[in-house]
């Protein structure tokens, strides 16, 4: 009898292990991969996208101002979503549904859910932006790429637990390792989980989000446009990956560095678009995000042409932060117009970071003030009027690097101050 119970226990244990390793992330009628982005003004709108199987062709989203009552279904506004099929070859593999809630009140907590028929998500919450400059924070994450469920998940979750009121999350590319691999996208959404449904994402594509089609044309993973419904303000032909958003006194601009590096016409288009967006910017703070660093941590990965073309724009229009990935290390430097690193006012502060477990070495240090290898990190940026504070944390929660920027006008360079991590207020 005892031996039988032992055998039964091991059979059950093997079943649990098998279930864990055999997870295939197949779509169901029940909504999954719920994620917030923006397509319009963050103070009065919010966009949500989610996935189902192909049996769901008409989906809805419901919303109401959060009043802490459990009677959420009462007096709730219901809206029809747009549906976009995701194709795998000649077959539709899933349906993605998206809706933009409009005419919302600024700085207000809302509850919402998505679904159809008897299949609905849980109720999520989000907070709209203020309609003017006001203090806020956001999260910056470098590449996830490998072992996403196993080793990256804890990083985004630690970042959220550290800064749960962050208003958005910037992802600087290589969110997955193999383009158009639904399992890896399943792991990425699994890792973000309910966080993605509460805090909007601002992603930029990396080289691993691209592939060459049968005609050898550089092509963005079809999952990208299906699951990220982003502002329609980028240049023609690049609207799914190049965009900007204004948030409480800050303009965040996403570039597609893979297309800049590998396609000359795209580089020209993005340059001209970026100059216009920077020239018309009325926000005090400006952040640019993309994947390939224009100052690399490795001599063999230098992007000289990218740097020589775009850096003068960053300097001319007083960009404050440039957030990048790709190099699988951490590095930080403030590059002045003359191209050297220093602490006095000058060019933007350039950051490279990594959130996933894939690691490289640092073998070039001319431009860097700070660098770190073999460490998974997350970054918290806090903006409060004329001051911006940057903090880089190890996944353990230990503060590794910090600095502040201060400025009174968008037409001037910010004053940089190095901060001792032990002195930074948690």
């Amino acid at each position: 009898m005892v031996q039988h119970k032992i055998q039964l226990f091991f059979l059950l244990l093997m079943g649990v292990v098998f279930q864990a390793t055999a997870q295939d992330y197949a779509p169901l009628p029940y909504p999954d991969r719920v994620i917030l982005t923006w397509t319009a003004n963050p103070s009065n709108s919010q966009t949500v996208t989610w996935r189902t199987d192909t049996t769901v062709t008409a989906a809805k989203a419901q919303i109401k101002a959060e009043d802490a009552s459990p009677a959420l279904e009462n007096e709730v506004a219901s809206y029809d979503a747009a549906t976009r099929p995701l194709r795998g070859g000649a077959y539709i593999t899933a349906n993605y549904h998206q809706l933009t809630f409009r005419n919302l009140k600024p700085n207000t907590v809302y509850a919402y859910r998505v679904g159809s028929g008897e299949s609905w998500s849980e109720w999520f919450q989000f907070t709209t932006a203020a309609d003017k400059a006001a203090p806020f924070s956001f999260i910056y994450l470098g590449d996830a790429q490998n072992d996403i469920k196993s080793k990256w998940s804890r990083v985004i979750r630690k970042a959220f637990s550290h800064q749960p009121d962050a208003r958005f999350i910037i992802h600087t590319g290589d969110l997955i390792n193999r383009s158009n691999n639904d399992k890896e996208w399943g792991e990425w959404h699994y890792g973000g989980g309910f966080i993605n449904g509460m805090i909007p994402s601002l992603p930029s594509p990396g080289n691993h989000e691209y592939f060459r089609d049968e005609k050898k044309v550089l092509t963005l993973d079809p999952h990208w446009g299906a699951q990220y419904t982003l502002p329609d303000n980028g240049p023609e032909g690049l609207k799914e990956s190049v965009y900007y958003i204004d948030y409480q006194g800050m303009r965040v601009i996403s570039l597609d560095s893979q297309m800049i590096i590998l396609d000359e016409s795209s580089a020209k288009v993005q340059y001209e678009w970026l100059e216009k967006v920077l020239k018309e910017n009325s926000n005090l703070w400006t952040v640019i995000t993309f994947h390939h660093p224009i100052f690399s941590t490795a001599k063999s990965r230098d992007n000289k042409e990218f740097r020589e073309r775009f850096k003068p724009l960053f300097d001319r229009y007083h960009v404050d932060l440039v957030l990048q990935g790709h190099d699988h290390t951490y590095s930080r430097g403030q590059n002045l117009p003359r191209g050297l690193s220093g602490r006095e006012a000058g060019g933007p502060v350039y950051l490279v970071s990594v959130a996933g477990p894939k690691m490289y070495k640092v073998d070039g240090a001319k431009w860097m003030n700070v660098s770190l290898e073999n460490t998974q990190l997350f970054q918290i940026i806090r903006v409060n009027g004329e001051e911006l504070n940057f903090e880089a944390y190890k996944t353990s929660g230990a503060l590794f690097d910090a600095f502040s920027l201060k400025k009174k006008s968008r037409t001037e360079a910010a004053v940089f101050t190095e901060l001792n991590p032990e002195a930074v207020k948690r």
Side-chain angles (χ1 to χ4, degrees), residues 324-343:
Q324 307 152 110
H326 191 59
D327 278 355
H328 297 270
T329 58
Y330 179 86
S331 58
R332 185 255 290 174
Q334 186 183 19
N335 288 81
L336 306 176
R338 66 178 183 272
L340 302 176
S341 185
R343 296 183 180 181

Side-chain angles (χ1 to χ4, degrees), residues 14-262:
M14 289 175 64
V16 170
V17 172
F18 174 77
Q19 286 181 335
T21 57
Q23 190 169 0
D24 61 6
Y25 304 101
L28 300 168
Y30 185 85
D32 68 0
R33 303 189 184 184
V34 181
I35 186 166
L36 296 181
T37 54
W38 284 297
T39 58
N41 188 337
S43 69
N44 58 30
S45 72
Q46 182 65 72
T47 300
V48 58
T49 306
W50 67 100
R51 184 189 75 153
T52 65
D53 66 17
T54 57
T55 66
V56 180
T57 57
K60 294 180 180 293
Q62 297 180 336
I63 188 171
K64 68 180 300 184
E66 178 64 82
D67 59 7
S69 167
L72 288 163
E73 293 81 5
N74 294 345
E75 299 181 2
V76 67
S78 184
Y79 301 95
D80 294 331
T83 297
R84 171 177 177 168
L86 180 69
R87 295 183 178 274
Y91 302 97
I92 299 175
T93 61
N95 280 341
Y96 281 79
H97 315 277
Q98 69 88 10
L99 176 89
T100 297
F101 298 115
R102 300 184 184 276
N103 301 315
L104 306 179
K105 296 179 180 179
N107 198 28
T108 301
V109 179
Y110 284 89
Y112 79 96
R113 67 173 184 169
V114 299
S116 62
E118 298 299 318
S119 300
W120 288 85
S121 71
E122 67 269 48
W123 287 91
F124 294 92
Q125 289 182 336
F126 66 81
T127 304
T128 51
D131 56 3
K132 57 185 177 181
F136 69 97
S137 63
F138 65 95
I139 296 167
Y140 151 43
L141 296 176
D143 304 30
Q145 191 168 341
N146 300 93
D147 296 319
I148 302 167
K149 177 184 174 183
S150 174
K151 297 180 180 179
W152 173 79
S153 295
R154 78 191 199 285
V155 183
I156 188 172
R157 295 171 188 177
K158 183 65 174 180
F160 171 77
S161 66
H162 188 96
Q163 197 69 20
D165 61 347
R167 293 303 185 90
F168 53 85
I169 303 175
I170 287 178
H171 299 272
T172 58
D174 282 4
L175 285 69
I176 46 92
N177 186 46
R178 293 169 293 178
S179 180
N180 206 16
N181 185 299
D182 191 73
K183 180 180 181 296
E184 292 185 13
W185 283 118
E187 291 194 10
W188 188 86
H189 284 278
Y190 179 96
F194 71 85
I195 301 169
N196 291 340
M198 294 179 63
I199 302 178
S201 293
L202 295 179
S204 298
N207 50 297
H208 284 266
E209 277 79 50
Y210 273 90
F211 66 96
R212 298 278 181 179
D213 66 12
E214 62 276 5
K215 296 181 180 179
K216 305 301 181 182
V217 175
L218 195 62
T219 303
L220 183 60
D221 187 332
H223 285 80
W224 191 271
Q227 68 193 5
Y228 300 131
T229 310
L230 298 166
D232 187 25
N233 53 23
E236 289 299 326
L238 293 163
K239 289 183 178 292
E240 290 188 335
S241 59
V242 180
Y243 60 92
Y244 71 89
I245 196 80
D246 292 335
Y247 195 96
Q248 294 181 192
M250 172 178 283
R251 175 160 289 187
V252 180
I253 304 168
S254 169
L255 298 178
D256 189 334
S257 61
Q258 179 75 343
M259 294 300 291
I260 289 173
I261 289 172
L262 297 182

Side-chain angles (χ1 to χ4, degrees), residues 254-322:
S254 169
L255 298 178
D256 189 334
S257 61
Q258 179 75 343
M259 294 300 291
I260 289 173
I261 289 172
L262 297 182
D263 186 278
E264 171 58 28
S265 62
S266 176
K268 183 175 184 295
V269 166
Q270 290 192 60
Y271 179 92
E272 293 172 351
W273 174 86
L274 176 61
E275 183 167 29
K276 183 175 185 294
V277 168
L278 290 172
K279 186 180 296 184
E280 295 174 350
N281 181 21
S282 61
N283 295 273
L284 177 63
W285 298 100
T286 305
V287 172
I288 297 183
T289 174
F290 48 83
H291 184 60
H292 300 76
I294 67 169
F295 291 96
S296 178
T297 62
K299 297 174 183 177
S300 61
R301 298 164 69 84
D302 186 45
N303 295 299
K304 181 181 178 181
E305 292 181 0
F306 183 16
R307 177 172 63 254
E308 290 179 346
R309 172 176 268 174
F310 280 81
K311 183 180 181 297
L313 277 186
F314 301 165
D315 294 333
R316 187 183 314 149
Y317 292 100
H318 304 294
V319 172
D320 301 295
L321 296 178
V322 178

Side-chain angles (χ1 to χ4, degrees), residues 361-422:
K361 294 291 184 181
V362 175
D363 68 1
K366 181 179 180 181
W367 70 275
M368 289 175 276
N369 299 115
V370 179
S371 65
L372 183 67
E373 299 175 344
N374 200 38
T375 306
Q376 291 176 262
L377 304 109
F378 63 89
Q379 289 71 221
I380 306 295
I381 297 92
R382 297 182 178 89
V383 181
N384 188 354
E386 298 175 354
E387 183 170 359
L388 179 152
N389 285 282
F390 179 98
E391 299 168 3
Y393 290 89
K394 299 179 181 180
T395 302
S396 63
L399 181 62
F400 168 70
D401 186 27
F403 63 86
S404 72
L405 299 175
K406 292 183 180 180
K407 65 190 301 186
K408 294 183 178 181
S409 168
R410 66 180 179 85
T411 59
E412 65 183 28
V415 176
F416 176 91
T417 302
E418 187 90 46
L419 296 178
N420 180 346
E422 285 73 24

